[in-house]
Amino acid sequence: MEQYLFILRNSPFFQGMTEEEILSVLHCVNATVLRKKKDEYIFRAGDSTETMGLVLRGSVLSMQEDLWGHRNIMERIGAGDYFAEPFAATPGSVLNVSVVADEDTEIMLLNMGRLLKTCPNACAHHNRLVRNLVSVMARRVMNLNEKITHMAKRSTREKLLSYLSAESMRQGKLSFAIPYDRQQLADYLCVERAAMSVELSKLQKEGLLKTNRNQFELCAKLDV
């Protein structure tokens, strides 16, 4: 597990912990490493799980799918971030999302049941891990709230501007990259890709933004 310490040290889940404490906790929660190829599933909707996932390398998509292949991307999760923790923390619950590798990916699975049980040694770092878990789950709620804010907009144009404005503020600059390709962005905003492309072209012609693939630059006069 030592080869993953750089990633783990920078993950909010292990915030405030030394390398020795992290390694001790990994043993305590039965940490295992899983490798998945692009488009392979880690979890499917309807699964039950006692483990939460932490991305070590690569990225995964948390998404909802229907029988006809329509996707609603909830979130893209990169190295150092985590997934499935609310389901793993709720015994008997089933996932209402699928988690799939967006590229070749390495994942660490942590047993939530062992994490939430009182440590036999009453170790302080185990208690800190539980506190960090609360912060992790609060962040998940905030991310979901942000997605709902974008989706609540009435038009494709408004959804795009809402998302791009929020991403610009999050990164603190007008020129930035987003974590999604065009199809994934459409799936995240729950709009048709063709309609989204039309709106992006209009916004560029109006001088409100510039874009190239997943790179965007918002113009200072953007006040829509």
Side-chain angles (χ1 to χ4, degrees), residues 70-71 73 156-157 159-160 180-202 211-214 216:
H70 301 127
R71 302 192 308 174
I73 292 179
T156 297
R157 177 189 179 97
K159 290 178 181 182
L160 275 168
Y180 303 116
D181 62 29
R182 291 297 170 85
Q183 184 60 59
Q184 290 172 348
L185 178 58
D187 292 341
Y188 176 78
L189 295 175
C190 294
V191 299
E192 292 293 335
R193 178 175 176 174
M196 185 186 75
S197 296
V198 169
E199 291 301 331
L200 285 172
S201 296
K202 289 180 180 178
T211 180
N212 180 29
R213 296 182 182 274
N214 70 331
F216 287 84

Side-chain angles (χ1 to χ4, degrees), residues 87-122:
F87 305 100
T90 310
S93 67
V94 295
L95 281 81
N96 65 349
V97 297
S98 296
V99 182
V100 62
D102 194 35
E103 55 190 307
D104 290 354
T105 302
E106 292 184 17
I107 299 147
M108 181 174 287
L109 297 178
L110 310 172
N111 186 288
M112 186 70 78
R114 289 181 61 89
L115 188 157
L116 294 176
K117 288 181 180 177
T118 302
C119 181
N121 300 320

Side-chain angles (χ1 to χ4, degrees), residues 8-56:
L8 299 177
R9 282 200 316 267
N10 290 284
S11 170
F13 194 65
F14 294 100
Q15 185 176 4
M17 300 176 66
T18 66
E19 292 186 356
E20 291 75 18
E21 289 172 339
I22 292 173
L23 290 173
S24 174
V25 164
L26 293 181
H27 175 74
C28 190
V29 299
N30 283 351
T32 58
V33 175
L34 190 66
R35 294 174 176 83
K36 289 290 186 178
K37 297 290 186 181
K38 178 177 171 60
D39 295 328
E40 285 188 333
Y41 282 78
I42 297 96
F43 296 123
R44 290 182 182 271
D47 288 348
S48 296
T49 181
E50 295 182 349
T51 59
M52 61 172 283
L54 176 69
V55 179
L56 299 170

Side-chain angles (χ1 to χ4, degrees), residues 7 11 17 22 24 29 32 60 65 69 86 105 114 120 126 137 145 161 169 181 204 209 215:
I7 293 293
S11 170
M17 300 176 66
I22 292 173
S24 174
V29 299
T32 58
V60 303
E65 302 173 288
T105 302
R114 289 181 61 89
H126 190 124
M137 296 180 74
N145 182 67
L161 291 178
M169 288 188 287
D181 62 29
Q204 289 189 89
L209 60 80
Q215 296 285 333

